Amino acid sequence: MAEKIIRTIGVLTSGGDAPGMNAAIRAVVRTALGKGLKVRGIRRGYSGLLNEEIIDLSARDVSDTIQRGGTILQTARCDEMRTEEGQQMAAAICKKYGIDGLVVIGGDGSFKGAQKLSDLGVNTIGLPGTIDLDIACTEYTIGFDTAVNTAMEAIDKVRDTSTSHERCSIIEVMGRDAGYLALWCGIANGAERILLPEEHDYDETKIVEDIKANRLRGKKHYIIINAEGIGDSINMAKRIEEETGMETRATILGHMQRGGSPTCKDRVYASIMGAKAVELLLEGKTNRVVGYKHGEYIDFDINEALAMQKGIPQYQYDIAKELAL
């Protein structure tokens, strides 16, 4: 049975870090303290929970953090939390430290851990923290806006040098098996091609033919946005250069997309989600995920949220292809 009365809230960040996580932590801490609760921060995600890396958090501890990227609580992967023994140990440690409610900021994998803790009597609320935008129950995830703007600005710079050298540039963005970063960058940066893991039917031969046709029309450069889920950018660049005779370079943006000061959107949305998580716990709710849909902050059952499927919006993808013409 989950606790009915919440006196102490724990907060952790799990999985990949995302800009805006600190804004969410700050909101959890200050909202909870304002309502007379204690707050305990758990360092290094579930791994830190199992190692009892637990500290008390005051309002001052989260001062001057809203503008910082990454997570002040650090984060880590934790295979032990996938096991029944690890889950039971985590629940026991929460009880040992008097943690009645736990806010978990992370992605799908983090929510699975929260789901197990809820089953074991710890009230849990998940906040969608991932730059990949791949959580089906929400239109917004903490960190995506900053990451996509970071990538966009980097691609603008690559385009400048690509144009100067009359070069084809393949720019690989993050996103794991989701193509949202690639799609948004493709539209925002005016790319000639966007390669997405959700669209496996791309034909490299057609790309080669298109580059040749563009050169005949006098086009000086060619930008391909390649999603991490497809990868192979370096070898793809070699093949395209061999087939077209056009100098082709691969640029893998990598983890720079995770860092940096969060945008206004990531600060505001993450703050509201953090405050809402505390309110849900005080309402006696557990096993919920906070989401954003149709302009409103809402919550879903974690089981339902994990069962939802999310695909690339076909209309956006079709528009991207039309604009590339």
Side-chain angles (χ1 to χ4, degrees):
M1 282 288 292
E3 290 291 332
K4 295 297 183 185
I5 299 173
I6 304 295
R7 300 180 185 85
T8 301
I9 288 179
V11 57
L12 64 81
T13 49
S14 175
D17 63 322
M21 281 184 165
N22 287 328
I25 294 166
R26 174 180 176 272
V28 169
V29 171
R30 294 199 167 181
T31 304
L33 292 174
K35 295 182 183 298
L37 307 176
K38 290 183 179 178
V39 187
R40 295 206 158 121
I42 299 160
R43 296 192 184 279
R44 299 179 183 86
Y46 291 122
S47 177
L49 176 59
L50 292 173
N51 290 322
E52 300 187 39
E53 297 182 52
I54 299 169
I55 56 172
D56 289 326
L57 289 176
S58 68
R60 182 172 291 181
D61 291 325
V62 292
S63 293
D64 200 30
T65 61
I66 196 169
Q67 79 282 8
R68 290 167 57 184
T71 162
I72 59 169
L73 290 175
Q74 292 84 48
T75 184
R77 312 285 182 183
C78 182
D79 290 335
E80 195 176 352
M81 193 60 189
R82 300 175 191 272
T83 68
E84 188 175 340
E85 183 183 357
Q87 293 154 12
Q88 289 175 347
M89 187 188 303
I93 291 168
C94 284
K95 288 181 172 63
K96 175 181 175 181
Y97 284 84
I99 296 171
D100 313 305
L102 181 66
V103 179
V104 174
I105 309 168
D108 284 348
S110 305
F111 295 163
K112 288 175 183 175
Q115 178 188 48
K116 298 299 183 184
L117 286 175
S118 179
D119 291 342
L120 292 168
V122 182
N123 297 57
T124 56
I125 304 293
L127 298 186
T130 169
I131 67 168
D132 302 335
L133 195 64
D134 60 349
I135 297 175
C137 68
T138 181
E139 296 169 1
Y140 164 84
T141 60
I142 296 166
F144 175 78
D145 191 63
T146 306
V148 79
N149 276 283
T150 298
M152 179 189 73
E153 290 168 10
I155 294 165
D156 280 343
K157 292 175 171 64
V158 174
R159 177 185 280 280
D160 289 344
T161 188
S162 185
T163 304
S164 298
H165 289 268
E166 300 181 79
R167 180 185 288 157
C168 172
S169 286
I170 300 171
I171 305 161
E172 186 174 314
V173 298
M174 294 183 81
R176 228 176 18 170
D177 296 322
Y180 296 96
L181 279 167
L183 178 62
W184 281 52
C185 286
I187 295 172
N189 293 105
E192 279 68 42
R193 288 279 173 158
I194 309 169
L195 307 182
L196 308 177
E198 293 87 349
E199 299 283 337
H200 291 290
D201 60 345
Y202 83 94
D203 187 337
E204 206 168 284
T205 303
K206 288 184 179 178
I207 295 174
V208 167
E209 290 171 356
D210 194 43
I211 292 170
K212 290 178 178 177
N214 272 276
R215 292 190 77 185
L216 288 174
R217 288 197 298 269
K219 191 167 178 62
K220 302 297 185 185
H221 65 274
Y222 197 94
I223 300 291
I224 299 170
I225 306 297
N226 188 29
E228 182 182 29
I230 289 178
D232 196 39
S233 297
I234 293 171
N235 290 322
M236 192 186 299
K238 290 176 182 176
R239 294 192 298 267
I240 287 174
E241 182 167 330
E242 287 172 3
E243 292 293 325
T244 64
M246 186 180 196
E247 184 184 5
T248 304
R249 296 284 178 86
T251 302
I252 300 172
L253 298 184
H255 285 83
M256 67 173 289
Q257 294 159 91
R258 287 200 182 280
S261 181
T263 59
C264 179
K265 183 173 184 175
D266 275 329
R267 297 183 198 194
V268 173
Y269 283 35
S271 295
I272 294 171
M273 285 181 160
K276 186 169 180 65
V278 175
E279 291 168 1
L280 289 171
L281 286 171
L282 287 173
E283 289 170 13
K285 292 189 176 180
T286 184
N287 203 47
R288 309 295 290 180
V289 177
V290 177
Y292 179 86
K293 273 202 168 181
H294 310 307
E296 294 184 356
Y297 298 90
I298 50 181
D299 57 285
F300 296 85
D301 180 86
I302 288 181
N303 303 336
E304 288 179 27
L306 290 173
M308 292 179 186
Q309 298 295 315
K310 186 174 188 179
I312 286 289
Q314 191 62 44
Y315 180 69
Q316 287 184 28
Y317 184 59
D318 291 342
I319 290 294
K321 289 193 287 188
E322 285 181 24
L323 295 177
L325 294 176

